[in-house]
Tab-separated table of all heavy atoms in Angstrom:
chain	number	residue	atom	x	y	z
K	1326	ASP	N	-28.057	4.173	0.399
K	1326	ASP	CA	-28.261	3.778	-1.071
K	1326	ASP	C	-28.376	5.023	-1.908
K	1326	ASP	O	-28.792	4.938	-3.087
K	1326	ASP	CB	-29.342	2.803	-1.205
K	1326	ASP	CG	-30.783	3.400	-0.947
K	1326	ASP	OD1	-30.719	4.502	-0.265
K	1326	ASP	OD2	-31.749	2.872	-1.355
K	1327	THR	N	-27.883	6.139	-1.439
K	1327	THR	CA	-27.899	7.332	-2.245
K	1327	THR	C	-26.560	7.548	-3.084
K	1327	THR	O	-25.626	6.802	-2.810
K	1327	THR	CB	-28.224	8.627	-1.490
K	1327	THR	OG1	-27.138	8.750	-0.501
K	1327	THR	CG2	-29.550	8.539	-0.791
K	1328	TYR	N	-26.549	8.404	-4.012
K	1328	TYR	CA	-25.283	8.667	-4.790
K	1328	TYR	C	-24.545	9.771	-4.254
K	1328	TYR	O	-25.142	10.876	-3.922
K	1328	TYR	CB	-25.646	8.928	-6.269
K	1328	TYR	CG	-24.453	9.188	-7.083
K	1328	TYR	CD1	-23.658	8.013	-7.561
K	1328	TYR	CD2	-24.061	10.402	-7.560
K	1328	TYR	CE1	-22.564	8.241	-8.375
K	1328	TYR	CE2	-22.952	10.669	-8.346
K	1328	TYR	CZ	-22.144	9.547	-8.778
K	1328	TYR	OH	-21.058	9.779	-9.514
K	1329	HIS	N	-23.300	9.587	-3.952
K	1329	HIS	CA	-22.376	10.519	-3.379
K	1329	HIS	C	-22.983	11.096	-2.053
K	1329	HIS	O	-23.176	12.288	-1.843
K	1329	HIS	CB	-22.135	11.769	-4.313
K	1329	HIS	CG	-20.705	11.829	-4.816
K	1329	HIS	ND1	-19.628	11.629	-4.039
K	1329	HIS	CD2	-20.242	11.974	-6.084
K	1329	HIS	CE1	-18.501	11.756	-4.740
K	1329	HIS	NE2	-18.837	11.892	-5.965
K	1330	PRO	N	-23.325	10.140	-1.163
K	1330	PRO	CA	-23.898	10.659	0.133
K	1330	PRO	C	-23.008	11.596	0.871
K	1330	PRO	O	-23.573	12.455	1.686
K	1330	PRO	CB	-24.103	9.307	0.903
K	1330	PRO	CG	-23.168	8.394	0.291
K	1330	PRO	CD	-23.139	8.761	-1.152
K	1331	ASP	N	-21.734	11.487	0.695
K	1331	ASP	CA	-20.802	12.488	1.465
K	1331	ASP	C	-21.061	13.893	1.067
K	1331	ASP	O	-20.721	14.852	1.760
K	1331	ASP	CB	-19.373	12.114	1.164
K	1331	ASP	CG	-19.046	11.958	-0.286
K	1331	ASP	OD1	-19.888	11.854	-1.208
K	1331	ASP	OD2	-17.839	11.854	-0.592
K	1332	GLN	N	-21.773	14.101	-0.128
K	1332	GLN	CA	-22.031	15.460	-0.575
K	1332	GLN	C	-23.443	15.970	-0.183
K	1332	GLN	O	-23.747	17.113	-0.556
K	1332	GLN	CB	-21.900	15.528	-2.094
K	1332	GLN	CG	-20.465	15.256	-2.572
K	1332	GLN	CD	-20.315	15.387	-4.075
K	1332	GLN	OE1	-21.292	15.607	-4.789
K	1332	GLN	NE2	-19.086	15.276	-4.597
K	1333	HIS	N	-24.160	15.191	0.629
K	1333	HIS	CA	-25.389	15.728	1.178
K	1333	HIS	C	-25.709	15.359	2.621
K	1333	HIS	O	-26.502	16.024	3.241
K	1333	HIS	CB	-26.518	15.369	0.253
K	1333	HIS	CG	-26.773	14.006	-0.070
K	1333	HIS	ND1	-26.299	13.456	-1.242
K	1333	HIS	CD2	-27.234	12.885	0.632
K	1333	HIS	CE1	-26.516	12.249	-1.340
K	1333	HIS	NE2	-27.177	11.867	-0.225
K	1334	ILE	N	-25.072	14.296	3.073
K	1334	ILE	CA	-25.323	13.863	4.465
K	1334	ILE	C	-24.851	14.847	5.525
K	1334	ILE	O	-25.704	15.247	6.353
K	1334	ILE	CB	-24.619	12.381	4.751
K	1334	ILE	CG1	-25.373	11.342	3.991
K	1334	ILE	CG2	-24.646	12.136	6.245
K	1334	ILE	CD1	-26.859	11.063	4.400
K	1335	TRP	N	-23.570	15.222	5.426
K	1335	TRP	CA	-23.025	16.143	6.447
K	1335	TRP	C	-23.678	17.588	6.258
K	1335	TRP	O	-24.025	18.250	7.224
K	1335	TRP	CB	-21.579	16.282	6.306
K	1335	TRP	CG	-20.864	14.966	6.399
K	1335	TRP	CD1	-19.988	14.462	5.514
K	1335	TRP	CD2	-20.893	14.039	7.429
K	1335	TRP	NE1	-19.485	13.285	5.854
K	1335	TRP	CE2	-19.979	12.974	7.124
K	1335	TRP	CE3	-21.574	13.934	8.656
K	1335	TRP	CZ2	-19.834	11.817	7.895
K	1335	TRP	CZ3	-21.417	12.852	9.468
K	1335	TRP	CH2	-20.536	11.825	9.141
K	1336	ALA	N	-23.854	17.936	4.985
K	1336	ALA	CA	-24.433	19.259	4.756
K	1336	ALA	C	-25.844	19.453	5.294
K	1336	ALA	O	-26.238	20.517	5.771
K	1336	ALA	CB	-24.438	19.543	3.255
K	1337	THR	N	-26.616	18.419	5.267
K	1337	THR	CA	-27.951	18.374	5.724
K	1337	THR	C	-27.988	18.247	7.293
K	1337	THR	O	-28.736	19.015	7.926
K	1337	THR	CB	-28.768	17.244	5.157
K	1337	THR	OG1	-28.759	17.390	3.736
K	1337	THR	CG2	-30.185	17.206	5.705
K	1338	ILE	N	-27.253	17.319	7.854
K	1338	ILE	CA	-27.279	17.178	9.344
K	1338	ILE	C	-26.890	18.524	9.969
K	1338	ILE	O	-27.359	18.869	11.021
K	1338	ILE	CB	-26.235	16.067	9.678
K	1338	ILE	CG1	-26.839	14.738	9.269
K	1338	ILE	CG2	-26.037	16.061	11.240
K	1338	ILE	CD1	-25.917	13.550	9.607
K	1339	ASN	N	-25.941	19.274	9.398
K	1339	ASN	CA	-25.483	20.476	10.051
K	1339	ASN	C	-26.534	21.623	9.986
K	1339	ASN	O	-26.330	22.663	10.565
K	1339	ASN	CB	-24.178	20.935	9.438
K	1339	ASN	CG	-23.516	21.954	10.324
K	1339	ASN	OD1	-23.341	21.777	11.510
K	1339	ASN	ND2	-23.091	23.075	9.835
K	1340	ARG	N	-27.684	21.385	9.282
K	1340	ARG	CA	-28.800	22.372	9.317
K	1340	ARG	C	-29.911	21.974	10.222
K	1340	ARG	O	-30.932	22.780	10.370
K	1340	ARG	CB	-29.193	22.559	7.889
K	1340	ARG	CG	-28.059	22.902	6.898
K	1340	ARG	CD	-27.254	24.130	7.220
K	1340	ARG	NE	-27.993	25.340	6.948
K	1340	ARG	CZ	-27.926	25.985	5.768
K	1340	ARG	NH1	-27.140	25.529	4.797
K	1340	ARG	NH2	-28.617	27.196	5.549
K	1341	ILE	N	-29.841	20.818	10.782
K	1341	ILE	CA	-30.965	20.367	11.810
K	1341	ILE	C	-30.769	21.088	13.095
K	1341	ILE	O	-29.703	21.045	13.735
K	1341	ILE	CB	-30.874	18.847	11.961
K	1341	ILE	CG1	-31.056	18.092	10.638
K	1341	ILE	CG2	-31.899	18.411	13.001
K	1341	ILE	CD1	-30.850	16.619	10.742
K	1342	PRO	N	-31.732	21.843	13.491
K	1342	PRO	CA	-31.553	22.833	14.711
K	1342	PRO	C	-31.079	22.155	15.943
K	1342	PRO	O	-30.340	22.795	16.627
K	1342	PRO	CB	-33.086	23.317	14.833
K	1342	PRO	CG	-33.665	23.199	13.510
K	1342	PRO	CD	-33.113	21.980	12.833
K	1343	GLU	N	-31.490	20.958	16.263
K	1343	GLU	CA	-31.094	20.321	17.564
K	1343	GLU	C	-29.677	19.772	17.529
K	1343	GLU	O	-29.190	19.392	18.559
K	1343	GLU	CB	-32.156	19.378	17.997
K	1343	GLU	CG	-32.340	18.115	17.119
K	1343	GLU	CD	-33.419	18.280	16.083
K	1343	GLU	OE1	-33.677	19.499	15.700
K	1343	GLU	OE2	-33.928	17.284	15.651
K	1344	VAL	N	-29.032	19.687	16.393
K	1344	VAL	CA	-27.664	19.127	16.244
K	1344	VAL	C	-26.664	20.132	16.880
K	1344	VAL	O	-26.633	21.264	16.578
K	1344	VAL	CB	-27.362	18.791	14.852
K	1344	VAL	CG1	-25.889	18.308	14.745
K	1344	VAL	CG2	-28.263	17.621	14.378
K	1345	PRO	N	-25.728	19.624	17.836
K	1345	PRO	CA	-24.804	20.544	18.353
K	1345	PRO	C	-23.915	21.199	17.288
K	1345	PRO	O	-23.465	20.537	16.423
K	1345	PRO	CB	-23.968	19.640	19.223
K	1345	PRO	CG	-24.886	18.498	19.584
K	1345	PRO	CD	-25.802	18.300	18.377
K	1346	GLY	N	-23.733	22.541	17.438
K	1346	GLY	CA	-22.875	23.290	16.508
K	1346	GLY	C	-23.484	23.596	15.185
K	1346	GLY	O	-22.812	24.084	14.327
K	1347	SER	N	-24.807	23.196	14.940
K	1347	SER	CA	-25.420	23.407	13.657
K	1347	SER	C	-25.757	24.943	13.451
K	1347	SER	O	-25.699	25.751	14.283
K	1347	SER	CB	-26.684	22.594	13.594
K	1347	SER	OG	-27.639	22.984	14.459
K	1348	ILE	N	-26.147	25.153	12.175
K	1348	ILE	CA	-26.669	26.471	11.805
K	1348	ILE	C	-28.060	26.383	11.311
K	1348	ILE	O	-28.453	25.298	10.810
K	1348	ILE	CB	-25.733	27.191	10.803
K	1348	ILE	CG1	-25.714	26.360	9.515
K	1348	ILE	CG2	-24.348	27.436	11.337
K	1348	ILE	CD1	-24.873	27.020	8.348
K	1349	PRO	N	-28.877	27.372	11.340
K	1349	PRO	CA	-30.325	27.301	10.862
K	1349	PRO	C	-30.391	26.971	9.361
K	1349	PRO	O	-29.401	27.180	8.641
K	1349	PRO	CB	-30.798	28.724	11.046
K	1349	PRO	CG	-29.902	29.325	12.121
K	1349	PRO	CD	-28.621	28.740	11.927
K	1350	TYR	N	-31.479	26.330	9.051
K	1350	TYR	CA	-31.603	25.953	7.671
K	1350	TYR	C	-32.246	26.960	6.739
K	1350	TYR	O	-32.469	26.748	5.578
K	1350	TYR	CB	-32.464	24.584	7.519
K	1350	TYR	CG	-33.890	24.676	8.002
K	1350	TYR	CD1	-34.909	25.066	7.155
K	1350	TYR	CD2	-34.216	24.147	9.326
K	1350	TYR	CE1	-36.215	25.045	7.507
K	1350	TYR	CE2	-35.539	24.153	9.653
K	1350	TYR	CZ	-36.546	24.588	8.858
K	1350	TYR	OH	-37.849	24.605	9.240
K	1351	SER	N	-32.360	28.210	7.169
K	1351	SER	CA	-32.682	29.322	6.307
K	1351	SER	C	-31.676	29.511	5.259
K	1351	SER	O	-30.459	29.327	5.548
K	1351	SER	CB	-32.859	30.599	7.190
K	1351	SER	OG	-32.853	31.708	6.284
K	1352	PRO	N	-32.034	29.810	3.983
K	1352	PRO	CA	-31.028	29.936	2.927
K	1352	PRO	C	-30.079	31.068	3.176
K	1352	PRO	O	-28.974	31.115	2.601
K	1352	PRO	CB	-31.880	30.279	1.703
K	1352	PRO	CG	-33.261	30.586	2.183
K	1352	PRO	CD	-33.412	29.830	3.453
K	1353	LYS	N	-30.430	31.950	4.134
K	1353	LYS	CA	-29.480	33.060	4.378
K	1353	LYS	C	-28.174	32.505	5.075
K	1353	LYS	O	-27.175	33.227	5.163
K	1353	LYS	CB	-30.137	34.057	5.333
K	1353	LYS	CG	-31.108	34.898	4.654
K	1353	LYS	CD	-31.573	36.118	5.529
K	1353	LYS	CE	-32.405	37.070	4.661
K	1353	LYS	NZ	-32.796	38.277	5.425
K	1354	TYR	N	-28.275	31.294	5.618
K	1354	TYR	CA	-27.135	30.728	6.315
K	1354	TYR	C	-26.317	29.805	5.452
K	1354	TYR	O	-25.390	29.048	5.926
K	1354	TYR	CB	-27.518	29.980	7.520
K	1354	TYR	CG	-28.021	30.903	8.763
K	1354	TYR	CD1	-29.297	31.400	8.747
K	1354	TYR	CD2	-27.046	31.298	9.670
K	1354	TYR	CE1	-29.717	32.249	9.770
K	1354	TYR	CE2	-27.516	32.105	10.717
K	1354	TYR	CZ	-28.848	32.615	10.787
K	1354	TYR	OH	-29.160	33.422	11.776
K	1355	ASP	N	-26.667	29.701	4.145
K	1355	ASP	CA	-25.840	28.754	3.227
K	1355	ASP	C	-24.397	29.133	3.218
K	1355	ASP	O	-23.979	30.321	3.307
K	1355	ASP	CB	-26.434	28.920	1.804
K	1355	ASP	CG	-27.699	28.181	1.585
K	1355	ASP	OD1	-28.181	27.595	2.526
K	1355	ASP	OD2	-28.196	28.157	0.493
K	1356	VAL	N	-23.551	28.131	3.171
K	1356	VAL	CA	-22.149	28.285	3.152
K	1356	VAL	C	-21.529	27.603	1.951
K	1356	VAL	O	-21.716	26.376	1.827
K	1356	VAL	CB	-21.493	27.661	4.519
K	1356	VAL	CG1	-20.001	27.946	4.479
K	1356	VAL	CG2	-22.080	28.293	5.769
K	1357	SER	N	-20.870	28.292	1.116
K	1357	SER	CA	-20.271	27.713	-0.085
K	1357	SER	C	-18.925	27.147	0.307
K	1357	SER	O	-18.382	27.425	1.429
K	1357	SER	CB	-20.072	28.744	-1.152
K	1357	SER	OG	-19.024	29.653	-0.882
K	1358	ASN	N	-18.297	26.368	-0.576
K	1358	ASN	CA	-17.020	25.760	-0.360
K	1358	ASN	C	-15.928	26.853	-0.170
K	1358	ASN	O	-14.976	26.700	0.553
K	1358	ASN	CB	-16.656	24.753	-1.341
K	1358	ASN	CG	-16.474	25.415	-2.779
K	1358	ASN	OD1	-17.343	26.142	-3.229
K	1358	ASN	ND2	-15.413	25.163	-3.464
K	1359	LEU	N	-16.123	27.953	-0.887
K	1359	LEU	CA	-15.061	29.051	-0.762
K	1359	LEU	C	-15.253	29.833	0.469
K	1359	LEU	O	-14.331	30.524	0.913
K	1359	LEU	CB	-15.285	30.021	-1.966
K	1359	LEU	CG	-14.761	29.374	-3.293
K	1359	LEU	CD1	-14.993	30.334	-4.485
K	1359	LEU	CD2	-13.272	28.956	-3.214
K	1360	HIS	N	-16.372	29.772	1.155
K	1360	HIS	CA	-16.534	30.479	2.433
K	1360	HIS	C	-16.340	29.624	3.681
K	1360	HIS	O	-16.159	30.121	4.753
K	1360	HIS	CB	-17.999	31.102	2.433
K	1360	HIS	CG	-18.135	32.264	1.516
K	1360	HIS	ND1	-18.756	32.180	0.280
K	1360	HIS	CD2	-17.686	33.612	1.623
K	1360	HIS	CE1	-18.700	33.313	-0.358
K	1360	HIS	NE2	-18.075	34.189	0.483
K	1361	SER	N	-16.464	28.279	3.516
K	1361	SER	CA	-16.195	27.462	4.587
K	1361	SER	C	-14.621	27.441	4.876
K	1361	SER	O	-13.869	27.980	4.042
K	1361	SER	CB	-16.638	26.013	4.352
K	1361	SER	OG	-15.870	25.403	3.394
K	1362	ILE	N	-14.209	26.775	5.947
K	1362	ILE	CA	-12.825	26.634	6.201
K	1362	ILE	C	-12.321	25.164	6.000
K	1362	ILE	O	-11.119	24.953	6.078
K	1362	ILE	CB	-12.389	27.046	7.664
K	1362	ILE	CG1	-13.085	26.176	8.618
K	1362	ILE	CG2	-12.711	28.521	7.849
K	1362	ILE	CD1	-12.653	26.447	10.070
K	1363	ALA	N	-13.238	24.309	5.766
K	1363	ALA	CA	-12.847	22.849	5.736
K	1363	ALA	C	-12.034	22.499	4.640
K	1363	ALA	O	-10.870	21.799	4.830
K	1363	ALA	CB	-14.137	22.028	5.667
K	1364	ARG	N	-12.290	22.901	3.349
K	1364	ARG	CA	-11.429	22.487	2.296
K	1364	ARG	C	-11.437	23.425	1.047
K	1364	ARG	O	-12.540	23.927	0.721
K	1364	ARG	CB	-11.925	21.146	1.773
K	1364	ARG	CG	-10.894	20.316	1.006
K	1364	ARG	CD	-9.664	19.968	1.781
K	1364	ARG	NE	-9.842	18.692	2.602
K	1364	ARG	CZ	-9.968	18.649	3.912
K	1364	ARG	NH1	-10.096	19.821	4.627
K	1364	ARG	NH2	-10.163	17.499	4.567
Side-chain angles (χ1 to χ4, degrees):
D1326 63 345
T1327 60
Y1328 181 75
H1329 249 313
D1331 52 349
Q1332 293 183 357
H1333 51 260
I1334 288 293
W1335 305 124
T1337 300
I1338 292 176
N1339 198 48
R1340 307 302 284 270
I1341 299 174
E1343 60 268 27
V1344 173
S1347 64
I1348 59 175
Y1350 63 84
S1351 165
K1353 286 192 174 184
Y1354 288 87
D1355 282 2
V1356 181
S1357 73
N1358 63 312
L1359 288 177
H1360 288 100
S1361 73
I1362 63 172
R1364 199 65 84 252

